[in-house]
Amino acid sequence: MVTGTAGTAGTVGATGSVGERVVVFGAYGHTGRFVVDHLRERGFVPVLSGRDADKLRELAASTPGDEVRPAPVDDAAALDRALAGAAAVINCAGPFATTAAPVIEAALRAGVPYVDVAAEIEANVDTFARFADRARAAGAVVVPAMAFYGGLGDLLATAALGDRTAADGIDIAYGLSGWHPTAGTRAAGEVSHRRRAGRGVRYAGGRLQYHDDAPATVRWAFPEPMGERAVVGDFTMADAVTIPSHVSVPAVHSYMTVEAAGDLAAPDTPSPAAVDERGRSGQSFLVDVTVRLGDDRRRAVARGQDIYAVTAPLAVEAVHRILTGRTRTVGVASAGEIFDARDFLGALSGHLAVDFECGPGPAAPQVPAAAR
């Protein structure tokens, strides 16, 4: 067994991106506030935008000097004004089924890169389907799901694959200590639930499949000290869109600790509460990714605190790399396709602990056939 950590990467200041304006659409939301703060820490100038002018002004009052540019998503002219003179836009405003397309359209008109933090499976599918050809033809960069769900799992799987572009299967186990969802998470979940007509979804047979099977609870052997835990099988997240967008793989299965799944399902679970000076909650997470290649297993594990807070360095690092030319393609692309995955993860060393293993590794739990 070989264990290693991700590499290192430079800072904004080292490559001359200090002072560039980045629009944050949905800046007043829970994740948006983390993104605004992290942009400022990295030397960018955040521009506050979103649909609610009053909430934007309230946010600006707490951070004097930030420019406010309200923009309803159904007002193209207002979106154009919001992006005028900016270097990039980060969309943090869900549900992304409503906001992604209009903000991407505005980014294409402005000629600036677009990054979002969408966890909605269908919204991410829409982005790839609707904008892939146009963005590629324009030489534009659109990176959806650049967040804890979608982006991080994709980076871990891609880094574990190394120079391979195919796998026999990929399993992602989310070891969350709990999950206090934001209002935005609940709203996005309701939209996805309606779009699926209440059905479940999984990536199997090389495609997304919708089903009525009841979720199965199985056991997953997380690395110590977490150890073996009960998890909900086929708890499918945005990784089922991002990973297959550039990796040839017949199945991507996800698992979620039962405690976190229960929190999310309960209507009275409160929103996240800050426990430190950075505004993070006390939630801890472990993301355990296993890539299956024949009889071999490659494993990548990330540990950290607060799934919403860690989304900010993921999104901001993506913008930094796009603006400094550290990308591998253009068009609509997921994190693992457009960035050097190991190097990217190394740049997040202040926010994530990442380890890699090569060897037999853990086998995926046996989920009953009806739930696969």
Side-chain angles (χ1 to χ4, degrees):
M1 178 180 294
V2 178
T3 302
T5 57
T8 59
T11 64
V12 172
T15 49
S17 294
V18 169
E20 290 192 282
R21 284 196 190 111
V22 176
V23 174
V24 182
F25 194 80
Y28 47 77
H30 187 84
T31 301
R33 289 172 182 259
F34 282 118
V35 171
V36 168
D37 289 346
H38 197 67
L39 281 167
R40 194 177 293 110
E41 290 173 11
R42 293 290 300 268
F44 290 101
V45 177
V47 177
L48 314 182
S49 188
R51 294 162 287 187
D52 193 316
D54 291 337
K55 289 182 179 179
L56 286 171
R57 284 190 286 267
E58 180 182 347
L59 176 61
S62 66
T63 56
D66 286 344
E67 187 176 357
V68 172
R69 299 181 183 179
V73 290
D74 59 356
D75 186 338
L79 286 169
D80 290 344
R81 289 192 294 272
L83 271 58
V89 57
I90 302 175
N91 184 5
C92 301
F96 292 89
T98 301
T99 68
V103 181
I104 293 171
E105 294 280 8
L108 291 174
R109 290 193 298 271
V112 300
Y114 168 95
V115 171
D116 73 31
V117 298
E120 298 159 48
I121 291 172
E122 292 78 15
N124 286 307
V125 169
D126 291 346
T127 294
F128 277 98
R130 181 170 178 177
F131 293 103
D133 292 342
R134 288 175 55 196
R136 188 182 306 110
V141 171
V142 174
V143 184
M146 195 62 243
F148 178 80
Y149 294 117
L152 180 56
D154 185 19
L155 288 166
L156 291 167
T158 305
L161 276 167
D163 58 0
R164 292 177 178 252
T165 58
D168 296 322
I170 295 175
D171 298 294
I172 305 172
Y174 289 104
L176 274 58
S177 60
W179 187 355
H180 287 198
T182 65
T185 294
R186 291 198 183 278
E190 289 172 4
V191 169
S192 289
H193 186 77
R194 289 196 298 270
R195 292 187 69 173
R196 298 174 193 167
R199 295 174 296 169
V201 61
R202 64 172 69 98
Y203 187 86
R207 62 186 178 87
L208 286 173
Q209 301 178 1
Y210 290 88
H211 61 87
D212 296 311
D213 305 336
T217 299
V218 294
R219 307 291 293 183
W220 183 271
F222 288 98
E224 295 298 340
M226 179 171 283
E228 186 174 297
R229 297 291 181 93
V231 294
V232 177
D234 275 333
F235 197 95
T236 306
M237 302 302 291
D239 316 277
V241 179
T242 55
I243 293 172
S245 73
H246 67 102
V247 176
S248 177
V249 59
V252 176
H253 290 296
S254 301
Y255 308 85
M256 178 66 69
T257 45
V258 296
E259 298 86 352
D263 283 345
L264 181 64
D268 57 351
T269 302
S271 298
V275 298
D276 64 20
E277 69 284 352
R278 294 165 64 178
R280 297 181 300 177
S281 73
Q283 176 196 50
S284 62
F285 64 78
L286 186 156
V287 184
D288 187 7
V289 176
T290 301
V291 176
R292 290 180 272 122
L293 300 162
D295 293 331
D296 292 331
R297 301 287 188 272
R298 295 185 182 183
R299 191 178 198 178
V301 178
R303 298 174 175 84
Q305 178 181 342
D306 193 327
I307 64 174
Y308 297 106
V310 81
T311 289
L314 281 160
V316 174
E317 180 65 21
V319 166
H320 162 51
R321 287 176 180 248
I322 295 166
L323 295 180
T324 54
R326 297 162 71 186
T327 54
R328 293 175 163 177
T329 188
V330 295
V332 181
S334 68
E337 180 180 16
I338 196 168
F339 303 118
D340 179 323
R342 285 219 180 199
D343 191 61
F344 192 110
L345 291 166
L348 304 180
S349 60
H351 309 277
L352 287 172
V354 180
D355 295 292
F356 299 98
E357 298 176 0
C358 297
Q366 295 302 303
V367 178
R372 298 289 278 187

